[in-house]
DNA sequence: CTCTATATTTACGTGAACGTAAAAGTTATC
DNA sequence: GATAACTTTTACGTTCACGTAAATATAGAG
């Protein structure tokens, strides 16, 4: 544990811990507040290769593009994609191509995910139906003074 | 791949490993097949205090009541209850009472679970709506030759 | 100088419901 | 007695997305 004194004393320009960093870069706390996630989550996403913020010494600095990525990640999570899926899609980005392939893969994955969601809804509806029936029966039993043990 | 020699009328001499045990008790393999669960699952439920089969030596023997319990457990799982919830309800059984309390607790838990299911469905519907919109946009983009990167 | 707020890394913990060997015992048929 | 078919216990592994310390560092405010 030792001399790891960060190279760096950077141009002592900005100073507030929470301030935007002039270049539009923000620190982890700012991003966390802005998107409603924890610091742990941001570091976790980075560890999984979903985000790659720059460093100023050891401090992470998030660019506009990092934010765009995070937005996409959270969108993916909302529609039920795993982080693995999200990463696979993001990783297809080619700054020198048309990214038609990325789009087709994303579309394909999305269609499959949509199918899964529909299946889930069907299962959920079945559960709701069965549970509703059970509730009606239990209410009736209680109202009638019947108390058939759930299990004997 | 049917059963083995397990056909026809009950052979006079009981002996097969999978045979009912005269007293109506069955071994773990029989129960597993009957309910479509694995041996691991049955032992797991037992470990969690949800099932308490008797023993003949070290071999588990499941009674009619164990089967009734298992049926209830699987019903609970279908409607989304955790094993912990199922156990709480089962544990309320009082062989000397009316079990009105057990029924009321089960009803209460069921109503709360139903509310959770409705919430889940709402979230699911939102996800489906959002993902459907995304898919439409992506299809349009591809059809028009546009390929806006997911993230730049 | 100390306090406060922020940041860093490392790394074990959580929850749910089992899966998956591994090593070994019993019965009963071939 | 070998093989098959079944059983037992112990116990680590899996999946997913983080939570939760713990120990440490930096910097401006009071």
């Amino acid at each position: 544990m030792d001399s790891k004194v960060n190279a760096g004393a950077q141009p002592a320009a900005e100073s507030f811990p929470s301030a935007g960093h002039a270049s539009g870069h923000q620190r982890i706390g700012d991003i966390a507040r802005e998107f409603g996630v924890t610091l742990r989550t941001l570091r976790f996403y980075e560890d999984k290769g979903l985000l790659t913020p720059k460093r100023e010494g050891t401090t992470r600095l998030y660019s506009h593009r990092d934010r765009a990525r995070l937005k996409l990640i959270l969108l993916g999570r909302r529609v039920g994609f795993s982080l693995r899926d999200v990463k696979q899609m993001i990783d297809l980005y080619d700054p020198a191509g048309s990214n038609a392939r990325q789009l087709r893969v994303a579309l394909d994955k999305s269609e499959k995910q949509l199918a899964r969601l529909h299946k889930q809804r069907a299962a959920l509806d079945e559960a709701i139906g069965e549970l509703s029936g059970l509730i009606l029966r239990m209410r009736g039993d209680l109202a009638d003074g019947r108390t058939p043990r759930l299990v004997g």
Side-chain angles (χ1 to χ4, degrees), chain A residues 39-85:
Chain A
L39 308 186
R40 179 68 177 93
T41 295
L42 293 173
R43 297 192 186 111
F44 180 74
Y45 288 171
E46 183 178 346
D47 187 57
K48 290 295 174 184
L50 288 161
L51 292 177
T52 51
K54 290 168 186 167
R55 295 298 183 108
E56 180 189 81
T58 64
T59 301
R60 291 171 175 80
L61 289 184
Y62 294 80
S63 69
H64 172 72
R65 195 177 146 187
D66 291 316
R67 297 174 45 178
R69 279 195 177 216
L70 179 53
K71 220 167 133 185
L72 188 61
I73 295 168
L74 297 179
L75 168 59
R77 294 293 299 132
R78 280 202 302 281
V79 300
F81 279 118
S82 68
L83 291 181
R84 222 164 57 90
D85 280 331

Side-chain angles (χ1 to χ4, degrees), chain A residues 58-130:
Chain A
T58 64
T59 301
R60 291 171 175 80
L61 289 184
Y62 294 80
S63 69
H64 172 72
R65 195 177 146 187
D66 291 316
R67 297 174 45 178
R69 279 195 177 216
L70 179 53
K71 220 167 133 185
L72 188 61
I73 295 168
L74 297 179
L75 168 59
R77 294 293 299 132
R78 280 202 302 281
V79 300
F81 279 118
S82 68
L83 291 181
R84 222 164 57 90
D85 280 331
V86 173
K87 177 171 165 53
Q88 283 176 27
M89 291 187 271
I90 287 182
D91 283 352
L92 256 52
Y93 173 64
D94 174 12
S98 73
N99 289 302
R101 167 145 186 76
Q102 181 187 36
L103 194 53
R104 272 194 297 269
V105 169
L107 178 55
D108 185 62
K109 275 183 178 292
S110 295
E111 286 169 338
K112 286 178 181 169
Q113 174 60 14
L114 184 57
R116 275 193 292 272
L117 293 184
H118 278 305
K119 265 199 177 182
Q120 280 182 38
R121 189 168 65 174
L124 203 48
D125 283 344
E126 267 202 63
I128 288 176
E130 187 161 11

